[in-house]
Amino acid sequence: MQDIQPKTNENIQKIIQLIEHKEINAYEGYIYISLLVSKNSPDPRTKVGACIVDDNFKMLSHGFNDVPLGYKSYQNWNNRNYETDWINSKIPYVLHAERQAIINAFKKQIVLDKKQIFVTLFPCHECALEIIESGINRLYYYNDENEYFGESQKAAKKMFNPCGVVFEKIEIKDKYLVKKIEEEIKNG
C-alpha cells in the first residue's frame, strides 16, 4: 500500500471517528478522506484520492495517483504534452488513485463485490473498467471536471449504468472545511 503522511493518517482517523459517532455525514466524510489522501500524490497539478469502503462504512483501502512502486525516479510530472510526446509525458507512467485503491485491497485479499468507492475526481474509462470488474457497485465522486479526461469520463459514465455501478456526485455542505482541505492539498 502506498505510504501516506503521518499527519494525513491522523486526520483520516479523526474523520472516521466523526463518521462513527454520526457527527458528520458518512458520504461527505469519505469524500473528505479522499481529498486528504490525494494530498500524498507527487503530481503538482492533478491530485486524486480514492478510498474503498464496505457497507458499514469501514475503510478497506485507499489510493492516490502516483507512479508504480520502484519507479520513484520519475520527475516529469509537468509534461502533459501527451499528443505529440506521449512517451515522455506523465500519462503512461501514472497509476491512478482508483486503480491503486483496488490493487491495495487485492493485496490484502479483500473481496470488493458490492463495495463502494469514494473518489475526488470522476474516473477515466480505464479505471471504470477496473471498478466494474472488481465488483464495486457504488461510486461517489466530488468533481467530474477534467480538461484531459472529458471524453474518457463520458465513456466511463456510459459503461457504469448497464454494468450495475451506481454513481453519484457528493455535494459537501461544509464548504469551509473543503476549502481548508483544498488549501492544505495545494500547499503540500
Side-chain angles (χ1 to χ4, degrees):
M1 186 180 289
Q2 296 164 303
D3 292 330
I4 57 174
Q5 299 168 0
K7 182 70 174 166
T8 301
N9 195 42
E10 184 181 310
N11 289 334
I12 288 170
Q13 295 310 314
K14 288 177 185 174
I15 294 172
I16 288 172
Q17 286 178 344
L18 292 172
I19 293 168
E20 288 172 351
H21 293 100
K22 304 199 183 317
E23 293 179 41
I24 64 171
N25 174 290
Y27 298 95
E28 289 183 34
Y30 278 103
I31 290 295
Y32 292 148
I33 289 172
S34 296
L35 286 164
L36 287 171
V37 168
S38 75
K39 180 181 177 196
N40 293 277
S41 171
D43 188 334
R45 293 182 67 180
T46 309
K47 294 188 180 292
V48 181
C51 56
I52 299 173
V53 176
D54 70 12
D55 286 337
N56 296 316
F57 290 100
K58 176 185 177 211
M59 190 163 82
L60 305 173
S61 181
H62 70 270
F64 52 89
N65 56 321
D66 198 356
V67 293
L69 293 173
Y71 197 62
K72 295 295 181 189
S73 61
Y74 184 73
Q75 299 295 319
N76 211 12
W77 288 104
N78 289 316
N79 183 351
R80 298 176 70 88
N81 193 10
Y82 59 89
E83 290 178 7
T84 59
D85 193 18
W86 185 81
I87 195 69
N88 292 311
S89 74
K90 73 176 190 173
I91 301 300
Y93 307 101
V94 175
L95 188 60
H96 290 187
E98 305 90 334
R99 182 176 289 164
Q100 187 63 52
I102 291 168
I103 290 169
N104 288 339
F106 287 160
K107 283 181 177 179
K108 296 191 284 186
Q109 300 181 353
I110 296 171
V111 176
L112 298 179
D113 285 346
K114 300 189 183 344
K115 301 299 186 272
Q116 48 197 338
I117 188 167
F118 291 80
V119 295
T120 57
L121 183 64
F122 194 89
C124 69
H125 72 283
E126 290 182 20
C127 289
L129 292 168
E130 294 194 21
I131 289 167
I132 292 164
E133 288 300 309
S134 73
I136 292 170
N137 68 347
R138 284 160 290 156
L139 174 119
Y140 302 97
Y141 65 97
Y142 177 62
N143 185 4
D144 62 354
E145 297 171 16
N146 184 293
E147 62 185 295
Y148 297 99
F149 287 113
E151 292 298 308
S152 181
Q153 290 171 321
K154 286 178 188 173
K157 287 179 180 179
K158 191 174 177 180
M159 284 187 281
F160 278 145
N161 285 332
C163 293
V165 178
V166 177
F167 58 91
E168 179 183 343
K169 184 171 185 169
I170 300 297
E171 297 289 335
I172 299 178
K173 294 172 182 74
D174 188 347
K175 297 298 182 185
Y176 172 77
L177 182 57
V178 172
K179 186 175 180 177
K180 184 177 176 187
I181 291 170
E182 287 176 343
E183 283 175 10
E184 191 176 320
I185 290 167
K186 200 177 227 179
N187 296 330

